[in-house]
Amino acid sequence: MTTTETGANAPSAPDVTDLVTDHDHGFHGYHDQKQEHLKRLRRIEGQIRGLQRMVDEDVYCIDILTQVSASTKALQSFALQLLEEHLRHCVADAAVRGGDEIDAKVKEATQAIARMLRT
């Protein structure tokens, strides 16, 4: 069959209205990395508890600030990873579906980025 032939044997484009994605099953972009994310968040939680302990033990201010900076960077890194997964999964899913959903997802992601930049 040549590329110019058409008819019953020609492959048809998938109907995106019938498309079933992970989103339809309640899975979010971070689903495949969920355990790694939880592990990372527990580590960050430990850093925050360490800050509390440092204050309680009257540790030198600059040492506490250094730990605050490390904790902040860890949270920012986590947020960027989550944002990337959101773009790859949720926004891409909306793009495949088309319609108003893509505009809503792009606006939502843009607002999330704006919030991250304010911090």
Side-chain angles (χ1 to χ4, degrees):
M1 177 186 238
T2 65
T3 57
T4 57
E5 290 181 47
T6 60
N9 294 334
S12 62
D15 183 4
V16 294
T17 58
D18 295 334
L19 185 66
V20 176
T21 65
D22 288 345
H23 255 226
D24 297 321
H25 297 293
F27 296 130
H28 299 288
Y30 60 84
H31 177 76
D32 291 339
Q33 304 297 322
K34 186 174 181 176
Q35 292 309 310
E36 290 85 2
H37 288 323
L38 289 171
K39 183 178 177 181
R40 194 171 184 184
L41 287 170
R42 285 186 203 100
R43 218 176 307 125
I44 294 169
E45 181 182 23
Q47 287 180 295
I48 303 305
R49 279 195 305 273
L51 281 167
Q52 293 171 331
R53 188 172 45 254
M54 291 172 82
V55 170
D56 187 50
E57 295 172 359
D58 295 318
V59 172
Y60 185 57
C61 301
I62 297 301
D63 294 339
I64 296 171
L65 288 170
T66 300
Q67 184 63 29
V68 167
S69 179
S71 301
T72 301
K73 294 290 184 200
L75 273 173
Q76 288 172 339
S77 177
F78 173 75
L80 282 174
Q81 178 65 39
L82 202 60
L83 178 62
E84 180 181 353
E85 290 167 355
H86 176 70
L87 293 172
R88 288 185 185 278
H89 184 268
C90 304
V91 176
D93 178 68
V96 167
R97 293 176 181 278
D100 293 336
E101 189 175 350
I102 183 62
D103 293 331
K105 290 292 181 185
V106 168
K107 182 178 180 181
E108 181 182 66
T110 302
Q111 289 171 340
I113 292 166
R115 285 191 301 271
M116 288 174 58
L117 289 174
R118 284 193 293 261
T119 59

